[in-house]
Amino acid sequence: MTQLDPKDSTFEIFNQLCFELFHDYGSHCTSFEPSALIHAKPIQQLPEQASFDIFSLGFGHWYAKLSYAGMCLKIDAGWEFQLEFKDQHGQIYQKVL
């Protein structure tokens, strides 16, 4: 297994895409449906090695997680959006929409 370099452009791409989603997701989301996230432009630009999963927690409530090399963006969508973003330095940002 190769060691991943945090200076690698893939790290920067993933970090930037998650940061964009973290800051801008609520501004262009017209519903709490996961399809808005699936079709968001940053999701289409994820690095190949990144994982992206949406889990259904029940009627009108879902959970999504994007992750790559220790970085992740978690979205908990129900009555409100709760976002948590952990960057490549381990810094955690939280936001409720």
Side-chain angles (χ1 to χ4, degrees):
M1 183 169 162
T2 59
Q3 185 72 16
L4 295 171
D5 182 1
K7 293 179 180 148
D8 180 36
S9 63
T10 307
F11 269 89
E12 290 302 319
I13 290 168
F14 185 83
N15 196 49
Q16 182 62 36
L17 292 174
C18 285
F19 202 70
E20 283 177 32
L21 279 171
F22 182 80
H23 286 288
D24 299 331
Y25 181 57
S27 64
H28 62 72
C29 181
T30 57
S31 75
F32 283 160
E33 294 300 317
S35 61
L37 175 63
I38 292 168
H39 298 296
K41 187 176 178 183
I43 295 297
Q44 307 307 315
Q45 299 171 343
L46 284 174
E48 265 184 40
Q49 305 88 344
S51 69
F52 171 56
D53 294 304
I54 293 181
F55 306 92
S56 177
L57 301 179
F59 180 73
H61 191 179
W62 53 273
Y63 174 85
K65 182 177 180 183
L66 287 79
S67 59
Y68 172 70
M71 295 179 287
C72 66
L73 175 68
K74 298 176 186 175
I75 299 173
D76 183 353
W79 294 105
E80 61 189 9
F81 279 103
Q82 296 178 18
L83 296 99
E84 181 180 293
F85 174 46
K86 183 175 86 170
D87 68 13
Q88 66 192 37
H89 305 292
Q91 180 72 36
I92 295 177
Y93 305 88
Q94 294 180 324
K95 177 171 144 179
V96 176
L97 303 175

